[in-house]
Amino acid sequence: MASTPTLILFSLLHHFLVLFFLLPYQQNTLIFAPPGGGKWNLLLSDIGVSAMHMQLLNNDRVVIFDRTDFGASNISLPNNQCRNNPNDLTLKIDCTAHSVEYDVATNSIRPLNVFTDVWCSSGAAMRDGSLMQTGGFNDGDRNVRVYKPCNDNSCDWQEFDSVLLQNRWYATNHILPDGRQIIIGGRGQFSYEFYPKRAGADQSYNLPFLSQTNDPRIENNLYPFVFLNIDGNLFIFANNRAILFDYVTGVVVKTYPTIPGGDPRSYPSSGSAVLLPLRNLRGGANITAEVMVCGGAPKGSFTSANNRNFVGALNSCGRIRITDPNPQWAMETMPLARVMGDMVLLPNGNVLIINGASAGTAGWDLGRNPVLTPVIYRPNNPVELRFEVQNSTSIPRMYHSTAILLRDGRILVSGSNPHAYYNFTGVLFPTDLTMETYSPDYLDARLTRVRPRIISPTSQSQIGHGQQLSINFIAEGRINRDLITVTMVSPPFTTHSFSMNQRLLVLTNDRGTSANVTSLGNSNYQVWVVTPGSNILAPPGYYLLFVVYREVPSTGIWVQIK
């Protein structure tokens, strides 16, 4: 395995070569950018609440919330409203908001009214574009809340009391092929259930794997990493191992090897995970699914941190092809150790690793040494050229930080509440209410002329499974048509270092090979692809569709798969 300095040197060299050699000639002048590493931009200095949970909606608004028993936030409820909740543990009459809506287009915040406690809850966007959010703490632990997006600022949270069968606190949600959500685990809950409920049928079902992965007094199996596999079963990773689970019959289909080293990766050890881009979607036996788990905290770190001994975070990533008959972990070394990081799928298929700390664990005041430097991981590169160190931010993003992809390709970053309550002074890492974006190098202004621009279909179009899809786009100058790709990304619900329901699909033509691109003249092109063939590959809902030239994506458009 190459050393960290060698990895960084390879990263810088690779970055330069990509930008120098891969850009096309423009009017006889070679356009290229020198090595950079992305750009940070502060959007707002105070959004009013700590961004503990985030979800991008299909109208380019972002729903953000923290918890209701923090005390007063920094933003008032509108129209002199107050929340009068006798069950609140801190402030029973509270005239401040604990949820906001961020409008990407206007860079503005609107306060929302959430009633019961949403602390450490879960959720996913539904097939109609609504955010369905489940569980939480105290009076909210069995509640479901729905937020239906609107464009006239009239929408707010709708709440349904005690409709879950078990308390769901630190659980994980995933949308299923039939459009429902499965809700897995939670503190003290070794079970799963579904929502919406089917009359007279749905129960809470035991999942022994969750009790088997529970470390006494530490847990290390909360917010399990859950992904829908291409066979319709669920890959569930908790603590340091994983299963493939048939949620219909309740049968464990496959047990995967323990990740090498045996260190925990789930909350509170809090690594992160992604399902790597799904390709060859019409390739039959050639289609594979691969999961990557990065960072976390070594065994015993949680106990040590509570004793004020902050152990260094893990610097390893494990990749496993979950569709293999005999799957094995392949380990890689990150340039920077990281706990409480976030992994974000970029439109070009790369992975951004961002936020977190280099020592300690998740939990109140248990993290140290913030990692200010994001890393991009290129999954298809040779092993020694996969990690690329980026430019640093100046804002620590510790416990309760979040990061999500926006339609224009930027990464929205916010949050950091590493201690209880809204403490802005007198603590090592104050509560942070700022919001910033990280713009990868593909948004460099010098690449504007080669960035594809989608003309049709229009945003909000509906598409079906297994259909021919024609996309017209503009890309100035001469391009290599063999290097155009089309991707679809599902916007995830992000909290506690895991993006639930995050998924990226690379579309191909009807032969399962690269997209068919035709020149229409005057920098206009048409690309033909086939949409994912089933609701297992692409569960119903809204996706962001991008045209990518080499590693430079267009602005995305919203498409809905029914």
Side-chain angles (χ1 to χ4, degrees):
M1 181 64 65
S3 66
T4 295
T6 303
L7 284 170
I8 294 174
L9 179 61
F10 273 125
S11 171
L12 292 173
L13 177 62
H14 170 76
H15 181 81
F16 179 83
L17 291 175
V18 165
L19 288 173
F20 189 91
F21 288 110
L22 295 188
L23 292 179
Y25 283 92
Q26 299 288 323
Q27 298 178 352
N28 300 319
T29 301
L30 183 65
I31 304 295
F32 68 94
K39 180 180 179 181
W40 289 89
N41 181 42
L42 181 66
L43 296 179
L44 295 169
S45 59
D46 187 349
I47 66 169
V49 303
S50 177
M52 191 183 299
H53 314 76
M54 280 207 296
Q55 169 78 55
L56 174 67
L57 301 176
N58 66 296
N59 60 350
D60 296 318
R61 311 283 181 96
V62 180
V63 172
I64 300 167
F65 53 94
D66 51 20
R67 55 185 283 193
T68 59
D69 60 350
F70 262 3
S73 74
N74 252 30
I75 185 169
S76 297
L77 287 167
N79 305 317
N80 297 315
Q81 295 179 63
C82 293
R83 187 177 60 92
N84 187 345
N85 185 350
N87 295 316
D88 195 283
L89 301 179
T90 303
L91 192 61
K92 299 185 187 307
I93 298 178
D94 187 355
C95 302
T96 62
H98 295 279
S99 177
V100 297
E101 181 192 70
Y102 173 67
D103 187 332
V104 176
T106 62
N107 190 37
S108 61
I109 289 290
R110 181 172 70 91
L112 303 174
N113 192 351
V114 63
F115 189 74
T116 58
D117 200 351
V118 288
W119 179 26
C120 298
S121 53
S122 52
M126 299 296 282
R127 67 195 313 158
D128 67 351
S130 299
L131 169 60
M132 195 189 82
Q133 186 275 321
T134 56
F137 182 62
N138 190 26
D139 61 347
D141 57 10
R142 292 178 55 204
N143 284 13
V144 169
R145 305 162 195 88
V146 175
Y147 188 87
K148 295 183 177 180
C150 64
N151 294 316
D152 61 1
N153 294 336
S154 64
C155 43
D156 211 331
W157 286 103
Q158 304 171 54
E159 193 149 350
F160 304 92
D161 293 335
S162 300
V163 292
L164 300 179
L165 299 175
Q166 303 290 342
N167 304 339
R168 299 296 173 185
W169 190 31
Y170 296 88
T172 294
N173 292 26
H174 202 296
I175 192 166
L176 299 174
D178 66 2
R180 295 188 301 162
Q181 286 187 34
I182 188 169
I183 309 156
I184 298 175
R187 177 152 285 172
Q189 300 297 340
F190 310 130
S191 62
Y192 63 97
E193 62 182 289
F194 303 92
Y195 197 86
K197 301 293 183 187
R198 290 174 173 167
D202 279 348
Q203 307 170 30
S204 176
Y205 305 90
N206 289 333
L207 183 54
F209 173 72
L210 293 178
S211 59
Q212 295 160 8
T213 52
N214 180 51
D215 291 339
R217 297 181 299 279
I218 300 172
E219 295 168 300
N220 277 329
N221 68 343
L222 300 178
Y223 282 125
F225 305 143
V226 180
F227 301 103
L228 180 64
N229 192 18
I230 60 172
D231 61 1
N233 296 314
L234 294 172
F235 175 88
I236 305 175
F237 182 103
N239 199 320
N240 56 13
R241 52 198 184 276
I243 58 172
L244 189 63
F245 184 64
D246 183 340
Y247 62 88
V248 176
T249 62
V251 173
V252 174
V253 177
K254 183 180 296 184
T255 298
Y256 295 93
T258 299
I259 194 167
D263 288 310
R265 308 287 179 142
S266 307
Y267 181 94
S269 289
S270 291
S272 190
V274 291
L275 176 68
L276 292 174
L278 295 174
R279 303 173 184 272
N280 302 319
L281 300 182
R282 296 180 61 81
N286 294 325
I287 182 170
T288 60
E290 192 170 8
V291 169
M292 183 175 182
V293 179
C294 288
K299 291 178 183 176
S301 294
F302 182 78
T303 301
S304 294
N306 275 287
N307 292 324
R308 318 320 289 169
N309 176 25
F310 302 96
V311 178
L314 298 170
N315 67 351
S316 60
C317 293
R319 285 177 61 165
I320 188 166
R321 188 170 294 175
I322 65 175
T323 46
D324 277 1
N326 183 29
Q328 300 295 320
W329 290 97
M331 302 305 291
E332 300 180 54
T333 301
M334 296 187 290
L336 302 163
R338 198 179 304 251
V339 63
M340 298 182 289
D342 287 281
M343 297 177 72
V344 181
L345 291 172
L346 301 178
N348 55 18
N350 295 331
V351 182
L352 178 69
I353 308 172
I354 196 168
N355 296 339
S358 63
T361 72
W364 298 128
D365 196 34
L366 297 183
R368 292 294 184 274
N369 307 333
V371 182
L372 304 175
T373 306
V375 171
I376 283 180
Y377 178 82
R378 303 174 187 275
N380 297 320
N381 278 13
V383 172
E384 67 275 11
L385 292 176
R386 287 178 178 168
F387 289 101
E388 182 179 292
V389 177
Q390 304 297 291
N391 285 331
S392 300
T393 181
S394 60
I395 302 174
R397 300 292 180 187
M398 305 288 281
Y399 187 41
H400 292 151
S401 300
T402 44
I404 60 171
L405 173 70
L406 298 178
R407 186 165 62 89
D408 59 15
R410 294 178 297 162
I411 309 303
L412 188 69
V413 183
S414 192
S416 192
N417 179 234
H419 49 263
Y421 308 114
Y422 288 97
N423 292 334
F424 302 105
T425 59
V427 289
L428 183 59
F429 299 107
T431 300
D432 192 284
L433 304 182
T434 63
M435 175 177 282
E436 58 185 336
T437 53
Y438 170 74
S439 297
D441 273 333
Y442 57 59
L443 291 175
D444 191 294
R446 287 166 287 189
L447 302 180
T448 300
R449 289 191 296 173
V450 300
R451 182 172 298 113
R453 179 162 58 92
I454 298 175
I455 303 302
S456 67
T458 58
S459 201
Q460 308 294 330
S461 293
Q462 292 185 0
I463 59 176
H465 289 102
Q467 293 184 348
Q468 290 270 0
L469 180 64
S470 170
I471 305 164
N472 288 7
F473 66 96
I474 293 174
E476 295 186 19
R478 296 180 304 179
I479 67 169
N480 183 337
R481 283 176 274 173
D482 292 333
L483 298 177
I484 290 287
T485 58
V486 178
T487 61
M488 284 174 49
V489 183
S490 60
F493 178 89
T494 302
T495 188
H496 289 77
S497 301
F498 183 53
S499 291
M500 304 174 194
N501 208 51
Q502 186 172 214
R503 198 174 190 85
L504 187 148
L505 305 107
V506 181
L507 306 189
T508 57
N509 61 26
D510 56 3
R511 297 187 303 276
T513 56
S514 60
N516 291 335
V517 182
T518 303
S519 174
L520 303 178
N522 298 320
S523 300
N524 286 271
Y525 295 88
Q526 185 177 65
V527 55
W528 284 91
V529 292
V530 176
T531 59
S534 72
N535 56 2
I536 293 175
L537 292 174
Y542 281 87
Y543 292 75
L544 285 170
L545 185 143
F546 299 89
V547 173
V548 182
Y549 181 47
R550 290 178 162 136
E551 290 198 351
V552 181
S554 67
T555 293
I557 62 169
W558 289 103
V559 294
Q560 183 186 24
I561 290 186
K562 287 286 195 179

PDB file of all heavy atoms in Angstrom, residues 23 221 244 303:
ATOM      1  N   LEU A  23      -9.377  18.061 -21.646  1.00  0.00           N
ATOM      2  CA  LEU A  23     -10.269  19.091 -22.162  1.00  0.00           C
ATOM      3  C   LEU A  23     -10.053  19.287 -23.662  1.00  0.00           C
ATOM      4  O   LEU A  23      -8.941  19.186 -24.165  1.00  0.00           O
ATOM      5  CB  LEU A  23     -10.030  20.407 -21.414  1.00  0.00           C
ATOM      6  CG  LEU A  23     -10.452  20.362 -19.941  1.00  0.00           C
ATOM      7  CD1 LEU A  23     -10.155  21.694 -19.288  1.00  0.00           C
ATOM      8  CD2 LEU A  23     -11.911  20.030 -19.815  1.00  0.00           C
ATOM      9  N   ASN A 221     -24.138   0.013  16.518  1.00  0.00           N
ATOM     10  CA  ASN A 221     -24.947  -0.533  15.428  1.00  0.00           C
ATOM     11  C   ASN A 221     -26.128   0.372  15.089  1.00  0.00           C
ATOM     12  O   ASN A 221     -27.068  -0.057  14.429  1.00  0.00           O
ATOM     13  CB  ASN A 221     -25.442  -1.932  15.781  1.00  0.00           C
ATOM     14  CG  ASN A 221     -26.463  -1.930  16.914  1.00  0.00           C
ATOM     15  OD1 ASN A 221     -26.581  -0.949  17.653  1.00  0.00           O
ATOM     16  ND2 ASN A 221     -27.192  -3.014  17.063  1.00  0.00           N
ATOM     17  N   LEU A 244     -27.081  -9.782   3.753  1.00  0.00           N
ATOM     18  CA  LEU A 244     -28.029  -9.525   2.681  1.00  0.00           C
ATOM     19  C   LEU A 244     -29.359 -10.091   3.152  1.00  0.00           C
ATOM     20  O   LEU A 244     -29.460 -11.284   3.476  1.00  0.00           O
ATOM     21  CB  LEU A 244     -27.580 -10.190   1.382  1.00  0.00           C
ATOM     22  CG  LEU A 244     -28.385  -9.823   0.133  1.00  0.00           C
ATOM     23  CD1 LEU A 244     -28.255  -8.333  -0.191  1.00  0.00           C
ATOM     24  CD2 LEU A 244     -27.927 -10.655  -1.066  1.00  0.00           C
ATOM     25  N   THR A 303     -15.711   4.560  24.783  1.00  0.00           N
ATOM     26  CA  THR A 303     -15.402   4.530  26.216  1.00  0.00           C
ATOM     27  C   THR A 303     -14.217   5.427  26.536  1.00  0.00           C
ATOM     28  O   THR A 303     -14.231   6.184  27.521  1.00  0.00           O
ATOM     29  CB  THR A 303     -15.111   3.088  26.664  1.00  0.00           C
ATOM     30  OG1 THR A 303     -16.253   2.273  26.381  1.00  0.00           O
ATOM     31  CG2 THR A 303     -14.797   3.028  28.145  1.00  0.00           C
TER      32      THR A 303
END
